[in-house]
Each structure stands twice: as C-alpha cells, then as structure tokens.
Amino acid sequence: MDTEKLKILAQNLAHPQGEKGIEIGEMMNETNIGMTLESIQTLLIEDNEHVLEIGHGNAGHVGNILNKAIDVKYTGIDISETMHHEAIKLNKDFENQAEFVLYEGTELPFEDKTFDKIFTVNTVYFWQKPTYFLNEIYRVLKDNGTFVLTFGQRDFMEKLPFTQFGFTLYNTDEMEETVSKSYFKRMKISERQEEVKSKTGEETITRNYTILTIKK
C-alpha cells in the first residue's frame, strides 16, 4: 500500500467519512471485534445499567451489550457523522434501548454521573488532550461506576504502516501514567494477545493490547 493510501486509511480510522468511511467502519468492526467483546465482558454489565461507548464506529456490536443483562440502556458517541448515521441504520431493532450522539471530540455532552459503565476501544490514539478527556469521563461516570479503556500497545502499533500518520501511541506503562494524572484513583491492568487480519488486508498479525479497568 503506497503512502497516499496509508494516509487515507489513517484519516478514516480516526474519522471515517463518506463511502470510504462506511467501508472502513465495516473493516474496523471486523478487526476490532475481539477487543470490543473482551472490553464489554470486562464491564460486568448488570440489570438496568446505562452504558456509554466512546467512539462506537458502525456499532455492529450493540446487540451484544444489550443482551448482557435486563433493561440495559446504551448510548454511543462519535465524532464521525458517517458512523453516526451508519450506527443508527444498523441498530434500528434496538432504537428503544440504544441512542447515538454526534459530538466534537472534547466535551462529553452529558450531565454529571450519568453512566454506570463507560468503555472505549482504540480511540485513545486520537485524543487531543488526554488528561482533560479522562476527567470528562470521570465527570459523567457514577461514583461506583467502571470505565474500561482498551488500546493496542505501542510495540505492536508502531509496526503498522499507517500509525505514523496522526496516531499517538502508548505502551501500558505510559497509559497507566496518563490515567494517574487524571481524577481516577484505581486501575487494574490486563494485557492480552490475539491473531487478527491486518487493516491493510495483507496478512494475519499478532496484536498485543491492554485493557485497563478504571475506577474512581
């Protein structure tokens, strides 16, 4: 894949747009589904809880969240208008339990202590002000809530040809230090490994990733 195509891929991974964005959204859902399902499992969703996902992509996994317990409510938030509309379209069957919100990427447009559980997968590379954003997550999370932050480790991510364009990469220690600068007080670390198809579609690769389970 040449440099220009790699740049376009990187741009659409950060902010999917148009027909290419829809295609990338489908690919992201496919390649990230293992990380996403592990993150959902880690949340330990219970009856009547309200779950927020930051950066939902095409949200092809929402049914899995809603099936975890009784009367679960889901809110997904994304910066991509393309993914916002795609998520609504793909989740028509869940419109009474799932809502999707478009936002600008910095301020979470919710009241304090709204959500029982919050999670995000493979978005931290694009956060402009990580500590500020973590404090926004802290603000909208209930006092006894859980935040799950999942990301590909630096050693793995830097081998991917597109991450040189606009990605900020972290190893587990660096992310732990970043979280420690926020209001959050407690953190549990789990490092995982999986075999996945490369986002360039050229090969199967071993992905090393981290799940942080974070509490107030």
Side-chain angles (χ1 to χ4, degrees):
M1 193 177 283
D2 63 33
T3 301
E4 199 54 42
K5 286 181 179 174
L6 288 171
K7 282 183 181 176
I8 291 168
L9 174 59
Q11 287 164 2
N12 276 284
L13 289 170
H15 190 158
Q17 296 182 68
E19 288 300 316
K20 184 68 176 174
I22 291 172
E23 180 188 318
I24 296 282
E26 290 172 355
M27 179 270 291
M28 278 197 291
N29 189 65
E30 181 185 330
T31 60
N32 291 340
I33 195 66
M35 294 174 77
T36 301
L37 295 179
E38 287 293 315
S39 302
I40 293 166
Q41 192 71 28
T42 303
L43 286 172
L44 302 176
I45 297 167
E46 297 180 11
D47 296 350
N48 304 304
E49 288 193 328
H50 192 175
V51 179
L52 171 67
E53 180 178 11
I54 299 167
H56 54 68
N58 73 6
H61 51 273
V62 167
N64 186 280
I65 295 169
L66 299 177
N67 289 332
K68 286 291 178 193
I70 297 166
D71 290 331
V72 175
K73 185 181 178 188
Y74 169 92
T75 298
I77 191 166
D78 209 291
I79 61 171
S80 165
E81 195 170 342
T82 298
M83 289 298 96
H84 175 72
H85 293 303
E86 194 70 3
I88 292 170
K89 185 174 78 176
L90 290 177
N91 290 284
K92 275 191 165 52
D93 291 349
F94 308 122
E95 59 187 4
N96 292 329
Q97 283 179 273
E99 65 171 352
F100 297 94
V101 177
L102 195 60
Y103 82 128
E104 43 64 58
T106 307
E107 312 276 346
L108 293 173
F110 306 111
E111 298 291 325
D112 294 358
K113 301 178 184 179
T114 297
F115 301 99
D116 300 282
K117 304 286 167 66
I118 300 176
F119 78 107
T120 190
V121 178
N122 286 335
T123 69
V124 71
Y125 327 117
F126 312 115
W127 294 0
Q128 297 302 311
K129 297 186 285 185
T131 304
Y132 182 90
F133 197 62
L134 284 163
N135 287 337
E136 272 291 278
I137 295 167
Y138 182 98
R139 180 182 64 78
V140 302
L141 183 67
K142 292 181 181 178
D143 287 339
N144 61 345
T146 300
F147 168 45
V148 168
L149 170 60
T150 303
F151 62 98
Q153 295 168 8
R154 175 197 288 275
D155 291 350
F156 161 74
M157 294 291 291
E158 64 189 5
K159 294 173 186 171
L160 305 177
F162 51 82
T163 58
Q164 61 187 299
F165 304 109
F167 284 64
T168 300
L169 304 180
Y170 300 87
N171 61 33
T172 301
D173 289 347
E174 288 166 337
M175 197 68 248
E176 189 180 4
E177 185 180 344
T178 300
V179 174
S180 73
K181 292 175 183 173
S182 75
Y183 297 143
F184 284 107
K185 295 288 184 280
R186 292 179 290 153
M187 197 180 335
K188 187 174 86 174
I189 298 165
S190 176
E191 296 188 317
R192 312 281 179 92
Q193 194 174 79
E194 65 175 352
E195 299 294 317
V196 290
K197 188 177 178 184
S198 164
K199 285 183 172 63
T200 58
E202 292 161 4
E203 58 186 339
T204 299
I205 50 180
T206 301
R207 171 159 59 197
N208 297 312
Y209 68 95
T210 300
I211 298 178
L212 296 182
T213 307
I214 303 168
K215 300 264 197 180
K216 289 191 171 183

